[in-house]
Amino acid sequence: MAKVSMTVNGKAASGKVEGRTLLSSFLREALGLTGTHVGCDTSQCGACVVHVDGQAVKACTMLALEAEGAEVATIEGQANTDGSLNTIQQAFQDHHGLQCGFCTPGMVMSAAALLQDNPKPTEAEIRDYLEGNLCRCTGYHNIVKAIMAASGQDVSSIAAE
């Protein structure tokens, strides 16, 4: 067993892990941060997206030890300091960008990374960026609309689906 230490959502976190322990498992099992969902364990679905040192990564394909000393952000750390939903989360709610909710944490984390790099993405750019995130319920239309709204773009002309 090895000791791993990192900052998760602004707080110091550490624990003992086996060398093969995935970051997603460490977050869920050792830290109790179950918002990082594991849907496939093969980097196909994107439900486990977190940010490591500001970069979106799929936590099911990264070893916990690889995050040693890193700043990790999970869906649990995305709300505003008063506990209210942040802009992206609120847009997902307002524009019905979720249905069952299983993919939502990964979608929100991916959206946050996209908007950090591209503050006003087009619909095509959003769809391209979300290529690594699977949703089996919504058909993506309202997810794209929510991300565009979160970026401050007018979505009133986009029909609801």
Side-chain angles (χ1 to χ4, degrees):
M1 299 286 273
K3 183 177 180 188
V4 64
S5 299
M6 61 190 76
T7 302
V8 180
N9 299 325
K11 298 176 183 169
S14 63
K16 293 205 178 254
V17 296
E18 294 182 30
R20 65 183 178 172
T21 301
L22 297 172
L23 180 58
S24 57
S25 298
F26 179 72
L27 293 170
R28 292 180 57 80
E29 297 164 17
L31 303 183
L33 299 172
T34 58
T36 301
H37 293 165
V38 178
C40 66
D41 263 338
T42 61
S43 189
Q44 300 298 309
C45 74
C48 67
V49 172
V50 298
H51 297 176
V52 177
D53 291 332
Q55 299 296 311
V57 300
K58 292 180 178 176
C60 76
T61 59
M62 182 176 191
L63 297 172
L65 290 172
E66 291 178 293
E68 173 65 36
E71 294 275 339
V72 178
T74 71
I75 191 68
E76 288 88 351
Q78 296 305 295
N80 295 318
T81 55
D82 66 359
S84 63
L85 299 177
N86 74 12
T87 302
I88 298 168
Q89 293 169 314
Q90 190 63 56
F92 268 69
Q93 182 179 45
D94 293 345
H95 297 281
H96 312 288
L98 58 107
Q99 205 162 356
C100 82
F102 191 82
C103 72
T104 305
M107 290 286 188
V108 168
M109 297 303 291
S110 290
L114 169 61
L115 295 179
Q116 178 182 320
D117 293 341
N118 183 355
K120 299 282 185 202
T122 65
E123 179 179 346
E125 289 170 330
I126 294 169
R127 288 183 183 278
D128 184 60
Y129 194 87
L130 294 179
E131 192 172 277
N133 293 76
L134 296 180
C135 176
R136 295 183 173 140
C137 301
T138 69
Y140 301 92
H141 180 79
N142 290 341
I143 292 170
V144 172
K145 187 176 179 179
I147 295 169
M148 289 186 80
S151 74
Q153 298 181 69
D154 181 20
V155 295
S156 62
S157 64
I158 300 174
E161 272 189 19

